[in-house]
Amino acid sequence: MDIRNLDDLNIYTKLDPNHMLDELRRMPSLCKQAWETAEALNLPEDYRAVKQVVILGMGTSGVAAQLAERIVRDECKIPIYLHQDYLLPAYVSADTLVIASSSSGSTEEVVSCFNQAASRQAKLLVLTTGGELKEMAAGHNIPGLVYDYTYRPSTAIAYGVLPVLSILHKLGFIPNKSAEVSESLIVLSQIAERLSEKYQTSNNPAKQLADKLEGRAVMAFGSGVTFPAARRFKTQLNENAKCFAFAEEIPEMNHNSVVGYQLPQNSGRYWAAVMFKTTFLSKRIHQRMKITTDILHQAKIPVFSIDGYGFSPLCQALSLILQGDFVSLYLAFLNGVDPYPIDAVDYFKQELAES
Ligand SMILES: O=P(O)(O)OC[C@H]1O[C@H](O)[C@H](O)[C@@H](O)[C@@H]1O
């Protein structure tokens, strides 16, 4: 398909029957809703005494938890760990706050660990719309944010990030993030408008990047607060555009991956790289991104970048996520695929349920 198709508004009605573009545009209002609902939440007093926080979350909920952790890493008084497996680590005890973050409330790894956390008398909290988590919360008087959301879990990312920030502040572990949230709402609305499908490719950076990525597998690179945005981009390219994509973190990948771009020969034809940047990355990390770009260019791999907007790390990270989400949808339309169905994931869940 050629690029002019992205400027043909009819393709969105044809390939987007579930209105995923509309859902993207709702991200600022979803953030507002997630923040305000979390701010109204009452938490038990003894939750303030926990010594660490463990967040259980897979897929989008995992990316969201990682983003929250990266945002507060330099100021949070206690450690926050993201856990993505069936068995809970041995250190989880009555001194741990365990947050089960799952939009559907039925993701089995999360439910499994949450049950173990309950039997260890950990302090519990849920972020969900339903499923087993909602039932557990209702049955055992577990505090949490039970929200209404009927759309695909991947678009509910706001509910995995902002409530965590609100909860950490309520418990006294980080400063108030209201100002950063307000800034983010404004910037996200501007991006949602600016990258909308009504803007032609010549005037729409998200369509331009989708055009450049068409037909290639994508490596997404990030560091610090931008790494979760790179991971988010990778997951959205997989689920929406149905294409190969991977995410790597700088500086770790500078110690190994950079050696591996020589073979197979001519692989530069099939790959593209995208760097997720913000002004909050250190000078050293910017230097590393530049040297990484040079090495990729030597292997004839094209390198593009997405820059964060706004003054706060939260705003910059969310703005990167929204920009990447638009690119993933435009790439889906270029690829001629409906971004909504995730057949392989559904197949996986069905096979596991039957075994
Ligand atoms: O947030 P949850 O409902 O637990 O969903 C976790 C993940 O489940 C599936 O694997 C979906 O493909 C992802 O998009 C989703 O993020």
Side-chain angles (χ1 to χ4, degrees), residues 58-61 101-107 110 152-154 239 342 345 349:
M58 307 301 296
T60 295
S61 302
S101 178
S102 166
S103 181
S104 62
S106 331
T107 297
V110 174
R152 213 174 78 182
S154 65
E239 293 190 27
I342 41 172
V345 173
K349 289 182 180 172

